Amino acid sequence: MKRTIRTSALTVGALFAALGLQAGPAQADAGTPRIDLRVLVVSDGGPATDAIAAELTSEGTPFTKVDLTSSGRPTIDAGFLADTVDGRARAKYQAVVLPNDNPFPAGSAEMSALAAYEQTYGIPQVDAYTYARPQAGLQVPTSGGYSGSVDGVQAQVSTAGKAGPFGYLKGAVPFEDNSPTVGESYAYLSTPAPGADFTPYVQATIPGTTTQGSLVGEYRHDGRRELVITFVYNQYQQQFRLLARGIVDWMTGGVHLGASRNYFAVHVDDVFAADDRWDTQLNCTPGDVDCTNGSATPSPIRMTPADVDYATAWEQSRRFTLDLAYNGSGSVDQRGDNDGVDQLADKLIADRNQFRWINHTYTHAFLGCEQDTTVVPWKCETNAAGATQWVSRLSIDDEIAGNRVWGQTNGLPLDNSELVTGEHSGLRILPQQPDDNPNLGPALTDNNVKWLAADASRDPAQRQVGPATTVARYPMNVFYNAGKASEEVDEYNWLYTSRAQGGSGICEDNPATTTCLPAPLDTATGYQNYIVPLETRIDLGHVLSNDPKPHFIHQSNLTEDRIAYPVLNGVLDGYASLFADNTPLVNLRMKDIGAEQQRRAAWQNALNAGQVTAYRIGTTVTVQAPAGVNATATLPTGTTLAGTAFGTAYAGERSGWTAST
């Protein structure tokens, strides 16, 4: 497969100006070098270069990593950096990432080779985390600057940054301060050195002054360009996540393989059904298989028509669509118990086009092994020979097909290729059921299911189950069995406090995976003051990580105290405060999320196998990949493919996939 992507003449000027080169003719001559679309990452094992490498991996941008701590690493010399292909000079890397402005010993031949390479081919260099000093275009911090913690600092994108690589941001770049006892960010704040051609892109106020010090800026010197970053970070911190796209775009001039979006989708499970309620006295959920106290009486939580009105009004005000995963038997049972009346179903069906709908099986039955619930925790039933007893293929078929028929009868706009099983059952769940139900795959084939939901906390990687591909979903820490904030906090305290504090002790028994609260949360204020900010930060972190996985909550969270909305609003408000209008949230339905993940996996496999070749000669980008593998790229506005605008607009660029043949 070969795909040629040509940049229009209008874009050429802007592109080459950004690269610091002169615009050449639209048709490159034999003297125009070939620039391969690959990044060289030189790492010292620190978190900053690792963070940039993680961003390149996430976007699908190929790179070569040289580990300076490895004795067997290649020598970076002229032959390593460039050669000749078909009589044309070739630069093997379109950008260079270094741990700092010069990680080599004084007089290093490797640094000299890199400098000459960058000068010859106009290759930009990123200094992943460097000390502010004249060699990087900045005054040392002791000359009116600052070195120290920047936890909680509100940095800002400068006018030049908005006009340049960080134009997708609204302006604010808040630095995290998640713990008062842990230092999270260290930085050097400084101003340009006298006479230096230095342009700050991200700045913060130098403490004790009104002067702005640079955190990210561009230094031009000796025919070279460096992006100078003077704060340390890791790949998970919000400040890096906000700037990661711009760092990649700066180093590539907005011309690179791979792409990035900010995704957010929310599935609401158990719609039409009722969810069992947490019992604050028994510390379990009556109706749940693990709540065996004889005095436990279920107290179901179910939405009302007023909750539907609230949801539709919320969607319209936020310009956001919820995905409702429904169980038809919930309405059938409600009508059976109330002389044929189900006002909730009537309202949801009337407003059905305000939502996306997903089949969640008819009764929400457990579709894995047959469960022995006489013990806590439950275990799989076995036959006399000790073999696991599985829920039958026919039973699974009935759950899927019965719910589909109910939905179609009531006019729900379904996509029959999508399925969420109850509790993600049928899929493996440790420790009780280490394997998928062998009857699940055939039942999915019977019902033409192509996309199957999985729980990202226990089954995060996309995989095949019969004809279906899994779509892992992030569980929000807004519990299915809580309609009121006080119930959520009570259960949260039970899970995350020690036995001495009245909790379950799960956190102290599993210190590697769970952190105990220092003290129980106040049931009146703990939800809004602690759980909501924490869950908002976690979920927004997913959004900012180019991660399309959906999140899921339950219908119980949209009724009574409507506890889901503060978290959803926190994510949406937080996002809106950070990103410009040209970078909207991408809200996909489940099958489209699955397809995006599937394309990414195939692309990454092709990159890892060395099956992708991509380069730029003058104004033309050429990409070669195996037949059947979709290629992905980010290119300037105005780029065309076969005479048609390439990709879709996002963050001031064009990006997307193109099918191979």
Side-chain angles (χ1 to χ4, degrees):
M1 186 284 287
K2 182 175 181 177
R3 279 287 181 267
T4 299
I5 303 168
R6 184 178 297 277
T7 304
S8 71
L10 179 64
T11 303
V12 169
L15 169 61
F16 280 105
L19 291 173
L21 304 174
Q22 294 187 1
Q27 184 65 39
D29 60 31
T32 304
R34 162 179 158 169
I35 311 294
D36 280 7
L37 301 189
R38 173 174 286 271
V39 175
L40 174 61
V41 178
V42 180
S43 172
D44 63 354
T49 48
D50 285 353
I52 293 175
E55 176 64 18
L56 295 171
T57 299
S58 170
E59 294 197 25
T61 303
F63 65 94
T64 295
K65 184 176 180 180
V66 174
D67 184 355
L68 294 178
T69 67
S70 172
S71 60
R73 72 172 179 86
T75 299
I76 300 173
D77 55 19
F80 178 82
L81 297 168
D83 60 8
T84 301
V85 175
D86 297 329
R88 186 186 298 274
R90 174 178 71 150
K92 297 180 182 179
Y93 309 100
Q94 66 179 136
V96 174
V97 178
L98 298 182
N100 51 62
D101 64 292
N102 184 351
F104 301 97
S108 166
E110 289 184 294
M111 192 66 233
S112 296
L114 279 168
Y117 173 72
E118 293 168 9
Q119 291 166 336
T120 301
Y121 296 101
I123 302 300
Q125 172 182 309
V126 174
D127 305 334
Y129 169 51
T130 197
Y131 181 70
R133 59 183 188 147
Q135 293 89 333
L138 294 166
Q139 299 192 78
V140 294
T142 53
S143 298
Y146 168 80
S147 57
S149 173
V150 286
D151 292 1
V153 163
Q154 293 292 312
Q156 291 288 327
V157 179
S158 69
T159 300
K162 289 181 181 179
F166 302 107
Y168 57 91
L169 293 175
K170 188 165 287 185
V173 182
F175 277 61
E176 291 183 347
D177 186 13
N178 300 319
S179 171
T181 61
V182 177
E184 298 164 42
S185 297
Y186 192 94
Y188 304 106
L189 287 169
S190 184
T191 55
D197 183 359
F198 191 99
T199 304
Y201 287 149
V202 181
Q203 300 173 296
T205 303
I206 296 173
T209 76
T210 58
T211 302
Q212 293 293 298
S214 179
L215 289 163
V216 182
E218 179 175 329
Y219 179 39
R220 292 177 179 250
H221 65 104
D222 304 320
R224 298 167 60 207
R225 299 166 57 241
E226 296 179 46
L227 190 70
V228 179
I229 305 172
T230 58
F231 69 94
V232 71
Y233 48 89
N234 63 51
Q235 63 180 293
Y236 305 106
Q237 289 179 299
Q238 185 182 88
Q239 54 267 30
F240 173 72
R241 295 263 33 99
L242 292 173
L243 299 174
R245 166 190 289 278
I247 293 171
V248 173
D249 285 347
W250 181 90
M251 74 168 82
T252 63
V255 179
H256 63 88
L257 297 181
S260 178
R261 295 279 194 279
N262 296 330
Y263 299 90
F264 192 45
V266 178
H267 296 181
V268 183
D269 288 6
D270 304 350
V271 171
F272 297 120
D275 290 300
D276 295 319
R277 188 186 306 274
W278 174 256
D279 190 303
T280 59
Q281 300 302 312
L282 298 174
N283 291 320
C284 64
T285 306
D288 190 302
V289 295
D290 287 343
C291 191
T292 58
N293 189 301
S295 63
T297 302
S299 175
I301 310 167
R302 191 171 190 256
M303 290 175 66
T304 68
D307 297 321
V308 180
D309 285 334
Y310 190 94
T312 56
W314 179 87
E315 282 189 323
Q316 292 166 7
S317 68
R318 304 315 304 245
R319 299 181 181 178
F320 188 87
T321 301
L322 296 169
D323 295 84
L324 304 189
Y326 74 96
N327 308 104
S329 71
S331 177
V332 172
D333 292 344
Q334 180 72 12
R335 294 190 192 280
D337 294 340
N338 294 275
D339 298 322
V341 175
D342 184 2
Q343 295 179 344
L344 171 62
D346 292 343
K347 182 62 176 172
L348 278 169
I349 291 168
D351 291 347
R352 58 189 176 275
N353 291 324
Q354 302 298 313
F355 308 96
R356 294 190 292 246
W357 295 85
I358 307 174
N359 187 344
H360 192 28
T361 71
Y362 188 62
T363 69
H364 200 280
F366 190 83
L367 303 181
C369 61
E370 298 286 356
Q371 291 175 293
D372 178 357
T373 60
T374 63
V375 293
V376 177
W378 62 268
K379 64 180 181 179
C380 289
E381 291 187 351
T382 56
N383 61 19
T388 299
Q389 297 288 92
W390 299 102
V391 172
S392 71
R393 177 176 177 176
L394 179 60
S395 295
I396 300 173
D397 279 338
D398 287 346
E399 283 290 324
I400 300 171
N403 204 47
R404 180 182 293 171
V405 169
W406 187 92
Q408 292 170 337
T409 301
N410 286 281
L412 300 184
L414 299 174
D415 188 303
N416 290 332
S417 67
E418 302 172 335
L419 178 69
V420 181
T421 58
E423 301 178 59
H424 304 102
S425 59
L427 297 174
R428 60 196 181 201
I429 176 173
L430 297 175
Q432 296 103 316
Q433 184 192 311
D435 301 306
D436 297 335
N437 183 343
N439 297 319
L440 178 61
L444 299 178
T445 299
D446 296 340
N447 291 279
N448 297 311
V449 174
K450 305 298 182 186
W451 306 104
L452 178 66
D455 186 335
S457 66
R458 66 185 192 223
D459 205 358
Q462 194 172 44
R463 62 186 182 91
Q464 283 299 118
V465 181
T469 305
T470 60
V471 178
R473 308 188 302 165
Y474 285 118
M476 286 188 175
N477 223 358
V478 182
F479 303 138
Y480 84 97
N481 50 5
K484 300 181 185 301
S486 59
E487 297 164 351
E488 166 84 10
V489 176
D490 185 87
E491 184 174 3
Y492 202 92
N493 284 338
W494 172 252
L495 293 172
Y496 297 110
T497 59
S498 65
R499 294 179 183 85
Q501 294 170 324
S504 62
I506 292 174
C507 58
E508 56 192 328
D509 293 343
N510 301 275
T513 57
T514 306
T515 302
C516 287
L517 290 168
L521 302 175
D522 187 317
T523 56
T525 62
Y527 185 66
Q528 193 64 43
N529 293 346
Y530 182 89
I531 298 175
V532 169
L534 176 59
E535 187 60 26
T536 296
R537 176 167 59 86
I538 292 170
D539 299 338
L540 186 57
H542 297 153
V543 171
L544 302 185
S545 298
N546 188 28
D547 187 347
K549 294 187 192 74
H551 294 73
F552 72 96
I553 54 175
H554 294 79
Q555 63 84 35
S556 53
N557 308 140
L558 301 186
T559 189
E560 298 182 356
D561 286 352
R562 297 171 177 157
I563 60 177
Y565 291 108
V567 175
L568 301 183
N569 287 333
V571 173
L572 297 177
D573 289 341
Y575 187 86
S577 71
L578 296 169
F579 286 88
D581 292 342
N582 67 357
T583 312
L585 274 175
V586 180
N587 176 218
L588 301 178
R589 72 172 302 139
M590 182 171 151
K591 71 171 185 178
D592 297 320
I593 293 170
E596 171 68 17
Q597 293 176 307
Q598 203 169 53
R599 286 191 295 261
R600 289 188 189 190
W603 175 250
Q604 193 61 54
N605 288 338
L607 290 179
N608 293 342
Q611 297 173 327
V612 175
T613 300
Y615 54 88
R616 171 173 61 83
I617 301 176
T619 63
T620 300
V621 170
T622 300
V623 181
Q624 295 172 300
V629 174
N630 291 322
T632 175
T634 298
L635 297 162
T637 299
T639 300
T640 59
L641 173 63
T644 302
F646 170 76
T648 56
Y650 195 80
E653 300 168 310
R654 305 287 300 187
S655 57
W657 297 91
T658 180
S660 57
T661 57

